[in-house]
Amino acid sequence: MTMDRPTPPMLADERQTLEGWLDFYRATLATKCAGLDDEQLRTAAAPPSPLTLLGLVQHMAEVERNWFRRVLADEDAPAIYPDRNATPGHDGGFGLSAGSTFAAAEATWRQEIEHARANCAGRALDDTGSFAAGEVTLRWIFTHMVGEYARHCGHADLIRERLDGVTGV
C-alpha cells in the first residue's frame, strides 16, 4: 500500500510549502517500497552497505518520533527500535530483527507521521523545542526533515533499482 504522492504547492506560504515537501518525500519513500515482498525489503541491495528499504522505513519512524515528539513536544518517547550499534546521538532503526516485517514497520511509521502532524498543528513556525543545549524552531525541524527524507529517498532509489530495476518513481 502506498501513499498518494502529492506535488508540493508551487504558490503557497512558507508553512504550506514546508509541509508539502515533507509529505512529498514521505510519499516517495512509501512508493519506493511498494510492490516488494518482505524478503526484498530486507535485502541490502547495494553492497557493501547493509542498508535496506525496511531499515529506512524503521529509521524514518525513529526520526519522526525524535524531532516531532521528543524535541518539539518534549514527550518521553522511547526508541521504537533500540539499536546497540547506533551512533550515539543519532536515530537508529536501520537494524532488522528476525521478526521485522514491512507491515509492522509501515504501520509504526504512519503512526509517527500522525503524531507529528498532531504535534505541529497548533504550533507556529517560530515555536521552539529543546535540542542539545538549546532551542530549535519548528521551521528548522521541517527543513531538517525535508533534507533527511530527501537523502534517504535517494538511498531508497538506489536500493530499489538494484532490487528490480525500478527507477524514477
Side-chain angles (χ1 to χ4, degrees), residues 32-33 36 41 43 51-57 156 159-160 163:
K32 296 294 176 187
C33 297
L36 298 175
L41 292 161
T43 300
L51 197 59
T52 67
L53 290 170
L54 179 54
L56 283 172
V57 171
I159 295 168
R160 179 67 189 250
L163 286 169

Side-chain angles (χ1 to χ4, degrees), residues 59-127:
H59 173 67
M60 291 314 298
E62 290 283 10
V63 172
E64 293 271 357
R65 176 173 279 213
N66 182 57
W67 287 104
F68 293 114
R69 294 179 72 180
R70 292 184 195 118
V71 173
L72 182 64
D74 195 30
E75 292 180 25
D76 181 20
I80 305 164
Y81 306 101
D83 185 354
R84 293 186 306 264
N85 298 319
T87 304
H90 293 268
D91 302 310
F94 291 112
L96 306 179
S97 69
S100 297
T101 67
F102 182 70
E106 182 184 34
T108 299
W109 175 51
R110 290 181 187 275
Q111 288 170 352
E112 290 303 321
I113 290 170
E114 289 310 310
H115 279 290
R117 288 185 175 129
N119 284 346
C120 292
R123 289 182 167 86
L125 291 176
D126 289 328
D127 286 353

Side-chain angles (χ1 to χ4, degrees), residues 59-60 63 67 91 143-153:
H59 173 67
M60 291 314 298
V63 172
W67 287 104
D91 302 310
T143 303
H144 173 74
M145 290 297 291
V146 168
E148 181 89 7
Y149 269 101
R151 179 174 55 253
H152 290 315
C153 284

Side-chain angles (χ1 to χ4, degrees), residues 128-150:
T128 61
S130 297
F131 178 64
E135 292 183 312
V136 61
T137 64
L138 177 56
R139 175 182 292 103
W140 190 95
I141 293 170
F142 274 139
T143 303
H144 173 74
M145 290 297 291
V146 168
E148 181 89 7
Y149 269 101

Side-chain angles (χ1 to χ4, degrees), residues 6-9 13-26 68 116-117 120-123 125 138 142-143 146:
T7 300
D13 65 22
E14 182 181 15
R15 175 71 175 250
Q16 291 170 320
T17 299
L18 290 167
E19 288 177 343
W21 277 105
L22 183 52
D23 284 340
F24 173 82
Y25 282 120
R26 286 168 171 159
F68 293 114
R117 288 185 175 129
C120 292
R123 289 182 167 86
L125 291 176
L138 177 56
F142 274 139
T143 303
V146 168

